[in-house]
Each structure stands twice: as C-alpha cells, then as structure tokens.
Amino acid sequence: MLPDSDDLLPATVRALPPPWSDPAPERGRALEQLPHTEGNEQAALDALVAALPATPPDTSPNPDPLTHWAGDVLRWLEQDPHDQVRVADVAERCIGHGLAVHHAVDLLGSLGTPHGETALLRVVRRAGASEEARDTLRRLRARRYDVRTRQPPHGEEPLLPGPARDLPYSWPSGFQWPQDLPETDENLARARALLEACAPTGPLPDPTPGPEWEGTEDDEPPAWLEIRAVLRSLMPYARLVTRERLTEGMRECALLGIPGVPQDPGSEDAERFVQRWAAWIAGWIAGEVFTWLGMYVDDESAITPGTTALAEQYAHNGMAAEQAVSMLLWWKTLPHSREALTRLAADGSLPAHLRELAANGLDED
C-alpha cells in the first residue's frame, strides 16, 4: 500500500473533490496537467485550509501521508501563484500547523518580496522556527545588505585596529590569505603588524570559535553560525566593521529570530554582543595570518621569537588559539617555538584540547 493512499489521509482530505482527494500516483499526474487558473488556485488553497487542524499541534508534526499530500499541493501552487496574498497566508498557516513545512517555506521564498518576506518575518519570530525559514528570509533580504555594503563608513566608529582595516581580503572567503602570496618583506611586515595590532591584552570572556564549525549532522548548529552569515553580508571587509554596522547586524539577527540575540540595542547585553563580535572578527583575521605563516611561509627567519611570543599570547588568551598553536607546531624545529609549546602544554589554565594539541605535537618527534 502506498504511504499516502486515500485510506490513510484524513477524512477532510478524502472528502475533497479530485484531484485533491486522489492518492499519490493519480494526484501527481493530475496536478501535472491541471491548468494554473485562478479558480484552480482557489480550490487548491481551500483544500489546504480544509486539511489544517483547528489549532497547531502541541507535539509531533502531522502524519507523513498528509505532509506528502500537502507538499504536492504547495509545489503546484509555487509554479504560478496568482493571489499572492492568500497563497502566502495559507503557506504561513501550514508552517504554523507543522504541515509540509519545507515546501511551505520554499513557496514563501519563491513569492519573495513583499508577501513571502512579510510572512516569513512573522514565522521566524515564533518559538521553534526552523533554521531553513531564517535562511530563506535572509536570502530575500540580501539586496538590503548589498546596498549597505556599498555605503562607505564615513563618520562611523571603527572597531578593528588600523592594520586590520587595511586588509584587502574579504570575510565571506574567511579573510584567507592567498596560498601563493609571496614572502616579501611587505607581506611579512603586514602579517606582523596585524598580529601586534589585534593581540589580546587579556583572556577573552568568550574565546574565538574556530573558523569552521566541526559538529556532526546530529549536532544542533550553534547560533553564532547564523549570526556570522548575517554579519558577513553586511560587513564583507574589515574596514566596514564598525559599531554602527555591528549594531545594525544585531538588529537584523533579532529580526530574523536567531536565538539568543539581544532585542534592545541600548542594553548591556547589546554592548557585550558588539564587543564579543569585534573580538571574534579580529581573532579570525589573526587566525588566517597564523595559518599563512605556518603553512605557506618557507623562510624560518620570518618566524622570529617575537612572532612565537605573539602566538603564545593569542593561545593563552583564547583568541585564534588553535591556529596560533598550529603555527607553533609547524615551526617546532625552532627552539623558541618549542619553548612556547612546552609552556602551553603545561599551562593548567588552558582548555584541555589546547594543551593536548601542543603536547601531542611535541610528542610526535
């Protein structure tokens, strides 16, 4: 028996006229041939409304047969919507009832601005909104971000030091330095200047996350990944990292319903948000410098005792710590690099994984 044959669908759906009451194979063929007239669209919308329960479910989503059926109807509506206001309303109601949520979000994304976007703005403010809904809404709002990035930061308060603001590499690519960048005096001087300018003076309240999240498919992605995606869109270059734009980014993240984002831009939580993200961005910039110095620089004279001291300082204070330790490991043949690694491996104030990274690298000799 097919998973959504007519006897497994709710009575309200089985009572509808064809093609809405047809089982899967017949319904699919009928919908392929059904003209996209206003009358047929209204019938499709009426069918979806009839299938919705009186109130949203408290626990589990609707049964698979009904979800499959609703997905077919929503896909048909997406192809050529006429009454976009009502189509958006019914798609939003499907999401609220947990019915074919993926297809309903896709439909709202296809509707775009204003109706799809307006509905998604309401969807993401509800508890339990899906990351997919927020991602779709963010894509719809991307044009606003592009406009903002083209505006120069005149009169805005920069949050990164001067050498970082001059960085020509963009954040969407991870601030990555080109692998084939020549080891010129100019580039090595820029690397040193960046590390010195961004160096933490004390432990970060929130250590810099790694440049890439390393969770598994079963893990819940951290909210900072979604926040970073928004901030990258608003501030693709380090020169655009200003207090004003970070605050705008925070407001946008709150509008998108990203969990844990402060709602009040004048609150202490908002100030912590700005300071945290300014430090993290500086950390990701410094991390790419350490990666370039470790993996792509061949001249050991470029790795001075001052450079290894900076790497130890970064690791000790939780800014780009993994990349700093990795750079030291790349150059562990240098006495001053080995000394720094030995101290880090014995530093009980550091996270265990950092101490193990330093110790294991030394033990491999």
Side-chain angles (χ1 to χ4, degrees):
M1 182 180 292
L2 292 169
D4 63 339
S5 59
D6 53 357
D7 59 330
L8 291 180
L9 289 169
T12 53
V13 175
R14 297 200 306 270
L16 294 170
W20 321 114
S21 57
D22 290 344
E26 289 84 352
R27 183 175 67 246
R29 288 190 292 269
L31 288 177
E32 287 178 3
Q33 301 174 11
L34 187 67
H36 284 271
T37 64
E38 293 184 6
N40 286 337
E41 179 179 281
Q42 292 304 315
L45 293 170
D46 291 342
L48 282 170
V49 170
L52 296 176
T55 57
D58 293 328
T59 54
S60 61
N62 297 85
D64 287 342
L66 181 54
T67 295
H68 192 180
W69 173 86
D72 287 347
V73 180
L74 289 164
R75 280 194 298 268
W76 182 85
L77 285 166
E78 184 178 349
Q79 294 173 20
D80 186 19
H82 295 279
D83 185 351
Q84 296 195 8
V85 173
R86 189 172 183 225
V87 169
D89 174 68
V90 172
E92 181 182 351
R93 292 174 65 182
C94 287
I95 295 171
H97 287 82
L99 180 60
V101 171
H102 169 75
H103 299 293
V105 169
D106 279 351
L107 174 52
L108 292 176
S110 295
L111 288 176
T113 303
H115 306 300
E117 179 182 352
T118 300
L120 283 169
L121 281 168
R122 289 190 293 267
V123 166
V124 299
R125 302 294 291 177
R126 299 174 189 144
S130 68
E131 183 180 343
E132 180 186 12
R134 294 193 295 270
D135 286 343
T136 301
L137 178 58
R138 180 166 51 84
R139 288 194 296 271
L140 291 180
R141 296 177 65 80
R143 184 176 299 176
R144 294 176 173 85
Y145 308 156
D146 292 340
V147 170
R148 186 65 173 111
T149 62
R150 291 194 291 270
Q151 298 171 353
H154 296 321
E156 299 179 25
E157 179 187 346
L159 293 176
L160 297 178
R165 298 198 297 272
D166 295 335
L167 191 67
Y169 313 122
S170 69
W171 190 5
S173 63
F175 294 122
Q176 294 169 355
W177 290 41
Q179 298 179 11
D180 57 354
L181 189 70
E183 298 174 35
T184 63
D185 290 343
E186 179 183 2
N187 288 329
L188 290 170
R190 166 174 275 171
R192 286 192 294 271
L194 275 167
L195 292 179
E196 290 170 356
C198 295
T201 57
L204 297 188
D206 303 293
T208 313
E212 301 298 333
W213 182 57
E214 297 180 352
T216 67
E217 292 182 359
D218 296 330
D219 295 331
E220 183 73 19
W224 67 261
L225 285 175
E226 291 188 75
I227 296 172
R228 186 172 67 173
V230 174
L231 298 183
R232 278 174 163 175
S233 299
L234 285 167
M235 302 177 295
Y237 287 92
R239 65 179 178 272
L240 299 176
V241 179
T242 66
R243 176 175 295 277
E244 291 78 5
R245 295 184 194 222
L246 261 178
T247 302
E248 290 174 25
M250 182 188 68
R251 290 196 189 100
E252 183 68 16
C253 291
L255 187 69
L256 294 173
I258 298 175
V261 176
Q263 301 291 316
D264 179 4
S267 66
E268 293 183 2
D269 286 342
E271 179 60 23
R272 281 193 289 270
F273 177 97
V274 170
Q275 294 300 326
R276 178 192 305 122
W277 278 93
W280 284 3
I281 294 169
W284 284 318
I285 290 173
E288 291 303 325
V289 177
F290 284 126
T291 298
W292 182 71
L293 288 171
M295 295 183 66
Y296 305 113
V297 169
D298 297 322
D299 183 5
E300 69 175 24
S301 67
I303 312 302
T304 65
T307 304
T308 56
L310 281 168
E312 186 176 358
Q313 180 180 348
Y314 273 84
H316 182 76
N317 289 300
M319 178 183 278
E322 288 82 2
Q323 295 96 320
V325 172
S326 295
M327 191 216 74
L328 292 171
L329 289 170
W330 273 99
W331 293 103
K332 63 183 179 180
T333 55
L334 299 176
H336 49 83
S337 186
R338 290 187 64 84
E339 292 168 3
L341 286 166
T342 300
R343 286 190 293 270
L344 291 171
D347 188 346
S349 68
L350 294 181
H353 75 279
L354 273 183
R355 298 198 306 272
E356 292 171 3
L357 179 63
N360 293 340
L362 289 171
D363 290 343
E364 290 174 0
D365 292 348

